Amino acid sequence: MRKVLGLVLLGLSGFLIAASLLLFLWAPGKVERTPLDIDSITQLTGKATYLSEAETPVKAISANRVDVKASSDSVVQFNTFTCLVRDPDNNVQNCVKDKRLITSDVDTFATDRHTAQAVTDYANLPTDAVPHTGLVNKFPFNVEKKTYNFWDGVLGKSVPAEYKGTEKIQGLETYKFVISFADQPAKVTAGVDGTYSDDKTMWVDPITGSIINQQDKQVRKLQNGDNAITLDFAFTDDTVKRNVQDANDNHSQLGLVKNAPLVLLPLGIIAGVVGAFLTLGARNAGGRHRNDEIDWDDADQDATSRA
């Protein structure tokens, strides 16, 4: 019985050690990837001045969806639709096509599923897709405290996002990144040239690279200096709350994978030691029984000879 139990524990030991090595070496690269089931809507609220109109409350809506068929094991392709609408009554929930609409845009791009860097030569991208550079819609997993290049769709190029410290949002520690530039030549609206200034702050989950909150102040001017669009908006409270919850859920899943080897490996070693002890102990016990029997036979023979 001891021998059987020992062999079972030795087998379990091999399984636990192999599983811990697999999780340590292979699993992080598989779980630290942008998922392919993303189909989300991000909302921002604030105020805007469009051309010579009076300042008005606005809502920006960004629908972000993964094209699963166009994506691969290492690259994810996104289709996004964004709009900016007048929302004086705070009741707009989706993009509209009436007089409340200020701007709208469609974008298709591909990024590396781990580093989040734009992939410009991805074969599945449409031929008319605008080439992107830098980070586009998130930061990489395990964000570093450094400057990253982040895509700006108005400029049509990436700009520096500088690390500015850590801040907690609803108990979640985030890294703060700031983008700031002034009077850059740009297409301020469709087909209209002008200048563009932006002060954007992003609070990023350092583990997953997701953007938890964002505040953005934009000034777009026509070439003659007149106002094109002035914007001051940020993620809605509901969007921030959902982002924090998603980040915490993802932390739990990633933590389970990363910490599992720390539990499985010691258990595997313990099972191996105990299994070896029981197996060897059973063999030694069997050997002693055989020796004892031989000793008794020898004793009987000696007794007979003496008789």
mmCIF file of all heavy atoms in Angstrom, residues 11-43:
data_model
loop_
_atom_site.group_PDB
_atom_site.id
_atom_site.type_symbol
_atom_site.label_atom_id
_atom_site.label_comp_id
_atom_site.label_asym_id
_atom_site.label_seq_id
_atom_site.Cartn_x
_atom_site.Cartn_y
_atom_site.Cartn_z
ATOM 1 N N GLY A 11 4.127 10.369 -9.360
ATOM 2 C CA GLY A 11 3.471 10.797 -10.589
ATOM 3 C C GLY A 11 2.865 12.172 -10.460
ATOM 4 O O GLY A 11 2.968 13.013 -11.363
ATOM 5 N N LEU A 12 2.222 12.435 -9.325
ATOM 6 C CA LEU A 12 1.640 13.751 -9.068
ATOM 7 C C LEU A 12 2.727 14.814 -9.022
ATOM 8 O O LEU A 12 2.545 15.932 -9.525
ATOM 9 C CB LEU A 12 0.874 13.723 -7.745
ATOM 10 C CG LEU A 12 0.238 15.053 -7.298
ATOM 11 C CD1 LEU A 12 -0.793 15.510 -8.318
ATOM 12 C CD2 LEU A 12 -0.395 14.901 -5.922
ATOM 13 N N SER A 13 3.870 14.469 -8.446
ATOM 14 C CA SER A 13 4.991 15.408 -8.378
ATOM 15 C C SER A 13 5.446 15.820 -9.780
ATOM 16 O O SER A 13 5.646 17.004 -10.058
ATOM 17 C CB SER A 13 6.158 14.774 -7.624
ATOM 18 O OG SER A 13 7.309 15.581 -7.732
ATOM 19 N N GLY A 14 5.579 14.854 -10.653
ATOM 20 C CA GLY A 14 5.998 15.166 -12.022
ATOM 21 C C GLY A 14 5.004 16.069 -12.724
ATOM 22 O O GLY A 14 5.389 17.011 -13.431
ATOM 23 N N PHE A 15 3.718 15.773 -12.496
ATOM 24 C CA PHE A 15 2.682 16.600 -13.124
ATOM 25 C C PHE A 15 2.724 18.034 -12.605
ATOM 26 O O PHE A 15 2.654 18.992 -13.370
ATOM 27 C CB PHE A 15 1.303 15.986 -12.868
ATOM 28 C CG PHE A 15 0.164 16.866 -13.281
ATOM 29 C CD1 PHE A 15 -0.203 16.967 -14.618
ATOM 30 C CD2 PHE A 15 -0.537 17.611 -12.340
ATOM 31 C CE1 PHE A 15 -1.250 17.795 -15.007
ATOM 32 C CE2 PHE A 15 -1.582 18.435 -12.718
ATOM 33 C CZ PHE A 15 -1.936 18.533 -14.054
ATOM 34 N N LEU A 16 2.831 18.206 -11.280
ATOM 35 C CA LEU A 16 2.822 19.541 -10.682
ATOM 36 C C LEU A 16 4.045 20.351 -11.112
ATOM 37 O O LEU A 16 3.941 21.550 -11.415
ATOM 38 C CB LEU A 16 2.765 19.432 -9.159
ATOM 39 C CG LEU A 16 1.462 18.897 -8.566
ATOM 40 C CD1 LEU A 16 1.596 18.721 -7.060
ATOM 41 C CD2 LEU A 16 0.295 19.824 -8.895
ATOM 42 N N ILE A 17 5.197 19.717 -11.148
ATOM 43 C CA ILE A 17 6.411 20.431 -11.561
ATOM 44 C C ILE A 17 6.332 20.822 -13.029
ATOM 45 O O ILE A 17 6.686 21.944 -13.415
ATOM 46 C CB ILE A 17 7.657 19.563 -11.283
ATOM 47 C CG1 ILE A 17 7.859 19.412 -9.769
ATOM 48 C CG2 ILE A 17 8.893 20.181 -11.918
ATOM 49 C CD1 ILE A 17 8.969 18.461 -9.383
ATOM 50 N N ALA A 18 5.850 19.907 -13.868
ATOM 51 C CA ALA A 18 5.714 20.224 -15.300
ATOM 52 C C ALA A 18 4.707 21.344 -15.510
ATOM 53 O O ALA A 18 4.929 22.256 -16.322
ATOM 54 C CB ALA A 18 5.284 18.975 -16.070
ATOM 55 N N ALA A 19 3.594 21.313 -14.769
ATOM 56 C CA ALA A 19 2.575 22.355 -14.885
ATOM 57 C C ALA A 19 3.126 23.710 -14.453
ATOM 58 O O ALA A 19 2.847 24.738 -15.076
ATOM 59 C CB ALA A 19 1.347 21.988 -14.061
ATOM 60 N N SER A 20 3.909 23.730 -13.368
ATOM 61 C CA SER A 20 4.465 24.997 -12.887
ATOM 62 C C SER A 20 5.438 25.579 -13.905
ATOM 63 O O SER A 20 5.442 26.790 -14.144
ATOM 64 C CB SER A 20 5.158 24.787 -11.547
ATOM 65 O OG SER A 20 6.306 23.973 -11.675
ATOM 66 N N LEU A 21 6.260 24.735 -14.521
ATOM 67 C CA LEU A 21 7.194 25.221 -15.536
ATOM 68 C C LEU A 21 6.449 25.729 -16.765
ATOM 69 O O LEU A 21 6.825 26.745 -17.359
ATOM 70 C CB LEU A 21 8.170 24.108 -15.929
ATOM 71 C CG LEU A 21 9.163 23.675 -14.846
ATOM 72 C CD1 LEU A 21 9.988 22.486 -15.319
ATOM 73 C CD2 LEU A 21 10.082 24.841 -14.475
ATOM 74 N N LEU A 22 5.389 25.018 -17.144
ATOM 75 C CA LEU A 22 4.597 25.440 -18.297
ATOM 76 C C LEU A 22 3.964 26.800 -18.046
ATOM 77 O O LEU A 22 4.011 27.697 -18.904
ATOM 78 C CB LEU A 22 3.518 24.403 -18.590
ATOM 79 C CG LEU A 22 2.586 24.702 -19.777
ATOM 80 C CD1 LEU A 22 3.372 24.694 -21.070
ATOM 81 C CD2 LEU A 22 1.457 23.685 -19.836
ATOM 82 N N LEU A 23 3.377 26.985 -16.874
ATOM 83 C CA LEU A 23 2.749 28.265 -16.540
ATOM 84 C C LEU A 23 3.778 29.378 -16.457
ATOM 85 O O LEU A 23 3.518 30.515 -16.852
ATOM 86 C CB LEU A 23 1.994 28.144 -15.213
ATOM 87 C CG LEU A 23 0.708 27.320 -15.244
ATOM 88 C CD1 LEU A 23 0.176 27.118 -13.838
ATOM 89 C CD2 LEU A 23 -0.348 28.000 -16.109
ATOM 90 N N PHE A 24 4.963 29.065 -15.956
ATOM 91 C CA PHE A 24 6.002 30.085 -15.801
ATOM 92 C C PHE A 24 6.591 30.519 -17.137
ATOM 93 O O PHE A 24 6.833 31.705 -17.374
ATOM 94 C CB PHE A 24 7.107 29.547 -14.892
ATOM 95 C CG PHE A 24 8.243 30.508 -14.694
ATOM 96 C CD1 PHE A 24 8.110 31.598 -13.838
ATOM 97 C CD2 PHE A 24 9.449 30.342 -15.365
ATOM 98 C CE1 PHE A 24 9.151 32.495 -13.656
ATOM 99 C CE2 PHE A 24 10.491 31.230 -15.189
ATOM 100 C CZ PHE A 24 10.342 32.316 -14.331
ATOM 101 N N LEU A 25 6.812 29.548 -18.027
ATOM 102 C CA LEU A 25 7.502 29.844 -19.283
ATOM 103 C C LEU A 25 6.567 30.190 -20.430
ATOM 104 O O LEU A 25 6.902 31.008 -21.289
ATOM 105 C CB LEU A 25 8.368 28.645 -19.686
ATOM 106 C CG LEU A 25 9.496 28.264 -18.712
ATOM 107 C CD1 LEU A 25 10.157 26.971 -19.159
ATOM 108 C CD2 LEU A 25 10.524 29.391 -18.622
ATOM 109 N N TRP A 26 5.388 29.594 -20.473
ATOM 110 C CA TRP A 26 4.520 29.716 -21.644
ATOM 111 C C TRP A 26 3.289 30.570 -21.405
ATOM 112 O O TRP A 26 2.925 31.407 -22.228
ATOM 113 C CB TRP A 26 4.088 28.318 -22.087
ATOM 114 C CG TRP A 26 3.126 28.301 -23.232
ATOM 115 C CD1 TRP A 26 3.403 28.424 -24.567
ATOM 116 C CD2 TRP A 26 1.698 28.158 -23.146
ATOM 117 N NE1 TRP A 26 2.248 28.355 -25.303
ATOM 118 C CE2 TRP A 26 1.176 28.192 -24.454
ATOM 119 C CE3 TRP A 26 0.812 27.995 -22.072
ATOM 120 C CZ2 TRP A 26 -0.175 28.081 -24.722
ATOM 121 C CZ3 TRP A 26 -0.539 27.878 -22.334
ATOM 122 C CH2 TRP A 26 -1.014 27.920 -23.647
ATOM 123 N N ALA A 27 2.646 30.392 -20.275
ATOM 124 C CA ALA A 27 1.346 31.027 -20.046
ATOM 125 C C ALA A 27 1.372 32.550 -20.064
ATOM 126 O O ALA A 27 0.475 33.167 -20.639
ATOM 127 C CB ALA A 27 0.742 30.524 -18.739
ATOM 128 N N PRO A 28 2.373 33.237 -19.432
ATOM 129 C CA PRO A 28 2.330 34.710 -19.446
ATOM 130 C C PRO A 28 2.255 35.296 -20.845
ATOM 131 O O PRO A 28 1.527 36.262 -21.084
ATOM 132 C CB PRO A 28 3.641 35.094 -18.746
ATOM 133 C CG PRO A 28 3.924 33.954 -17.836
ATOM 134 C CD PRO A 28 3.463 32.733 -18.599
ATOM 135 N N GLY A 29 2.973 34.706 -21.787
ATOM 136 C CA GLY A 29 2.935 35.211 -23.154
ATOM 137 C C GLY A 29 1.598 34.994 -23.829
ATOM 138 O O GLY A 29 1.255 35.693 -24.787
ATOM 139 N N LYS A 30 0.821 34.030 -23.330
ATOM 140 C CA LYS A 30 -0.478 33.746 -23.912
ATOM 141 C C LYS A 30 -1.595 34.563 -23.278
ATOM 142 O O LYS A 30 -2.566 34.909 -23.945
ATOM 143 C CB LYS A 30 -0.793 32.248 -23.779
ATOM 144 C CG LYS A 30 0.102 31.352 -24.625
ATOM 145 C CD LYS A 30 -0.058 31.632 -26.112
ATOM 146 C CE LYS A 30 0.802 30.718 -26.955
ATOM 147 N NZ LYS A 30 0.661 30.998 -28.404
ATOM 148 N N VAL A 31 -1.469 34.869 -21.999
ATOM 149 C CA VAL A 31 -2.534 35.625 -21.331
ATOM 150 C C VAL A 31 -2.292 37.126 -21.389
ATOM 151 O O VAL A 31 -3.241 37.907 -21.323
ATOM 152 C CB VAL A 31 -2.697 35.174 -19.864
ATOM 153 C CG1 VAL A 31 -3.102 33.718 -19.808
ATOM 154 C CG2 VAL A 31 -1.428 35.413 -19.064
ATOM 155 N N GLU A 32 -1.031 37.553 -21.491
ATOM 156 C CA GLU A 32 -0.739 38.985 -21.592
ATOM 157 C C GLU A 32 -0.842 39.419 -23.055
ATOM 158 O O GLU A 32 0.129 39.855 -23.681
ATOM 159 C CB GLU A 32 0.644 39.291 -21.025
ATOM 160 C CG GLU A 32 0.721 39.126 -19.513
ATOM 161 C CD GLU A 32 2.062 39.512 -18.947
ATOM 162 O OE1 GLU A 32 3.031 39.622 -19.726
ATOM 163 O OE2 GLU A 32 2.162 39.707 -17.721
ATOM 164 N N ARG A 33 -2.025 39.296 -23.585
ATOM 165 C CA ARG A 33 -2.302 39.682 -24.974
ATOM 166 C C ARG A 33 -3.653 40.382 -25.038
ATOM 167 O O ARG A 33 -4.565 40.060 -24.279
ATOM 168 C CB ARG A 33 -2.322 38.458 -25.895
ATOM 169 C CG ARG A 33 -1.034 37.682 -25.986
ATOM 170 C CD ARG A 33 -1.098 36.624 -27.064
ATOM 171 N NE ARG A 33 -2.197 35.695 -26.866
ATOM 172 C CZ ARG A 33 -2.540 34.746 -27.721
ATOM 173 N NH1 ARG A 33 -1.896 34.625 -28.862
ATOM 174 N NH2 ARG A 33 -3.539 33.931 -27.459
ATOM 175 N N THR A 34 -3.760 41.338 -25.940
ATOM 176 C CA THR A 34 -5.038 42.002 -26.151
ATOM 177 C C THR A 34 -6.074 40.958 -26.569
ATOM 178 O O THR A 34 -5.866 40.230 -27.546
ATOM 179 C CB THR A 34 -4.922 43.071 -27.249
ATOM 180 O OG1 THR A 34 -3.913 44.010 -26.880
ATOM 181 C CG2 THR A 34 -6.247 43.789 -27.429
ATOM 182 N N PRO A 35 -7.178 40.836 -25.869
ATOM 183 C CA PRO A 35 -8.179 39.825 -26.221
ATOM 184 C C PRO A 35 -8.859 40.154 -27.546
ATOM 185 O O PRO A 35 -8.857 41.299 -28.004
ATOM 186 C CB PRO A 35 -9.174 39.892 -25.056
ATOM 187 C CG PRO A 35 -8.999 41.256 -24.483
ATOM 188 C CD PRO A 35 -7.557 41.604 -24.665
ATOM 189 N N LEU A 36 -9.461 39.127 -28.132
ATOM 190 C CA LEU A 36 -10.109 39.296 -29.429
ATOM 191 C C LEU A 36 -11.623 39.481 -29.319
ATOM 192 O O LEU A 36 -12.308 39.571 -30.340
ATOM 193 C CB LEU A 36 -9.813 38.087 -30.326
ATOM 194 C CG LEU A 36 -8.336 37.840 -30.653
ATOM 195 C CD1 LEU A 36 -8.194 36.622 -31.559
ATOM 196 C CD2 LEU A 36 -7.708 39.061 -31.307
ATOM 197 N N ASP A 37 -12.133 39.565 -28.099
ATOM 198 C CA ASP A 37 -13.578 39.711 -27.919
ATOM 199 C C ASP A 37 -13.973 41.147 -27.541
ATOM 200 O O ASP A 37 -15.051 41.362 -26.985
ATOM 201 C CB ASP A 37 -14.084 38.735 -26.863
ATOM 202 C CG ASP A 37 -13.423 38.947 -25.506
ATOM 203 O OD1 ASP A 37 -12.462 39.740 -25.431
ATOM 204 O OD2 ASP A 37 -13.868 38.331 -24.518
ATOM 205 N N ILE A 38 -13.108 42.121 -27.853
ATOM 206 C CA ILE A 38 -13.405 43.508 -27.494
ATOM 207 C C ILE A 38 -14.509 44.070 -28.390
ATOM 208 O O ILE A 38 -14.439 43.999 -29.615
ATOM 209 C CB ILE A 38 -12.145 44.389 -27.616
ATOM 210 C CG1 ILE A 38 -11.100 43.960 -26.583
ATOM 211 C CG2 ILE A 38 -12.494 45.871 -27.439
ATOM 212 C CD1 ILE A 38 -9.796 44.722 -26.688
ATOM 213 N N ASP A 39 -15.520 44.594 -27.766
ATOM 214 C CA ASP A 39 -16.612 45.287 -28.447
ATOM 215 C C ASP A 39 -17.163 46.289 -27.438
ATOM 216 O O ASP A 39 -18.143 46.022 -26.747
ATOM 217 C CB ASP A 39 -17.690 44.302 -28.899
ATOM 218 C CG ASP A 39 -18.755 44.966 -29.757
ATOM 219 O OD1 ASP A 39 -18.662 46.200 -29.967
ATOM 220 O OD2 ASP A 39 -19.694 44.275 -30.192
ATOM 221 N N SER A 40 -16.515 47.445 -27.345
ATOM 222 C CA SER A 40 -16.788 48.369 -26.255
ATOM 223 C C SER A 40 -17.127 49.760 -26.770
ATOM 224 O O SER A 40 -16.800 50.121 -27.907
ATOM 225 C CB SER A 40 -15.578 48.463 -25.323
ATOM 226 O OG SER A 40 -14.453 48.989 -26.018
ATOM 227 N N ILE A 41 -17.768 50.524 -25.900
ATOM 228 C CA ILE A 41 -18.099 51.919 -26.186
ATOM 229 C C ILE A 41 -17.557 52.784 -25.051
ATOM 230 O O ILE A 41 -17.822 52.518 -23.876
ATOM 231 C CB ILE A 41 -19.615 52.123 -26.338
ATOM 232 C CG1 ILE A 41 -20.123 51.386 -27.576
ATOM 233 C CG2 ILE A 41 -19.944 53.608 -26.431
ATOM 234 C CD1 ILE A 41 -21.621 51.506 -27.792
ATOM 235 N N THR A 42 -16.784 53.790 -25.411
ATOM 236 C CA THR A 42 -16.245 54.742 -24.444
ATOM 237 C C THR A 42 -16.923 56.086 -24.650
ATOM 238 O O THR A 42 -17.047 56.548 -25.792
ATOM 239 C CB THR A 42 -14.719 54.890 -24.621
ATOM 240 O OG1 THR A 42 -14.090 53.617 -24.410
ATOM 241 C CG2 THR A 42 -14.155 55.900 -23.632
ATOM 242 N N GLN A 43 -17.343 56.699 -23.542
ATOM 243 C CA GLN A 43 -18.011 57.998 -23.632
ATOM 244 C C GLN A 43 -17.219 59.057 -22.868
ATOM 245 O O GLN A 43 -16.677 58.796 -21.793
ATOM 246 C CB GLN A 43 -19.434 57.908 -23.080
ATOM 247 C CG GLN A 43 -20.354 57.006 -23.891
ATOM 248 C CD GLN A 43 -21.787 57.057 -23.400
ATOM 249 O OE1 GLN A 43 -22.068 57.483 -22.287
ATOM 250 N NE2 GLN A 43 -22.714 56.633 -24.250
#
